[in-house]
């Protein structure tokens, strides 16, 4: 029974309080994530998003967002059951939500023959409206009574 209890507690998500610092050494990140440092170094090779900078002495320096990313990777792998490739794909999807949106509904391409026909009809109407009036219509009705 203790084995079941242990596995169920490993599956529960823990909220980790990350100290307010600019940089964290790999040992600190290892303690925060409760993972060996070699796992973090391995993840750097598997997840291109996880790229800590290195100090002048060659020590890995993680920023807060990288610590958060390491915790997120741990959750994907250990709690949600993703494979490394699956977690990598999930991180890519999360990073590009705009690609998941549906395309804007643009109007379908218009038939140019129909436009030409409409244009010709409009030109005919314009020609009729701009033509000189006929002789029978030129005299006002009042002038005819004289």
């Amino acid at each position: 029974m203790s084995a079941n209890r242990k596995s169920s507690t490993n599956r529960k998500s823990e909220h980790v309080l990350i100290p307010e610092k600019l940089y964290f050494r790999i040992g600190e990140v290892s303690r925060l994530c409760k993972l060996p440092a070699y796992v973090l170094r391995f993840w750097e090779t598997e997840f291109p998003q996880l790229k800590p900078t290195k100090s002048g002495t060659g020590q890995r320096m993680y920023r807060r967002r990288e610590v958060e990313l390491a915790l997120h990777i741990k959750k994907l792998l250990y709690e949600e059951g993703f494979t490394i490739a699956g977690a990598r794909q999930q991180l890519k999807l999360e990073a590009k939500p705009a690609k998941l949106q549906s395309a804007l509904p643009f109007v379908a391409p218009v038939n140019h023959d129909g436009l030409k026909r409409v244009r010709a009809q409009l030109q005919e109407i314009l020609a009729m409206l701009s033509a000189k009036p006929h002789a029978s219509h030129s005299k006002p009705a009042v002038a005819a009574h004289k």
Side-chain angles (χ1 to χ4, degrees), residues 26-27 29-31 33-43 62 74 78:
I26 194 166
V29 179
S30 174
R31 280 190 296 281
C33 294
K34 297 180 182 171
L35 293 168
Y38 70 85
V39 172
L40 295 170
R41 288 191 295 270
F42 173 70
W43 285 356
Y62 288 79
K74 179 184 176 186
Y78 295 4

Side-chain angles (χ1 to χ4, degrees), residues 61-140:
M61 303 301 287
Y62 288 79
R63 290 185 219 123
R64 181 180 189 87
R65 66 179 170 81
E66 290 160 336
V67 175
E68 291 168 351
L69 179 61
L71 289 166
H72 187 54
I73 291 170
K74 179 184 176 186
K75 181 180 178 192
L76 290 173
L77 295 174
Y78 295 4
E79 294 177 24
E80 296 183 23
F82 280 85
T83 62
I84 288 179
R88 190 182 309 121
Q89 184 65 30
Q90 180 65 25
L91 289 174
K92 284 181 186 175
L93 290 174
E94 291 172 5
K96 299 179 183 178
K99 297 245 179 198
L100 298 176
Q101 293 179 351
S102 61
L104 292 174
F106 289 109
V107 178
V110 180
N111 182 354
H112 292 292
D113 293 334
L115 284 177
K116 288 178 184 177
R117 200 172 343 121
V118 169
R119 184 176 181 177
Q121 290 171 348
L122 287 172
Q123 286 175 336
E124 286 178 27
I125 293 171
L126 182 61
M128 285 191 256
L129 291 173
S130 61
K132 292 185 179 180
H134 294 2
S136 63
H137 295 293
S138 62
K139 295 183 181 177

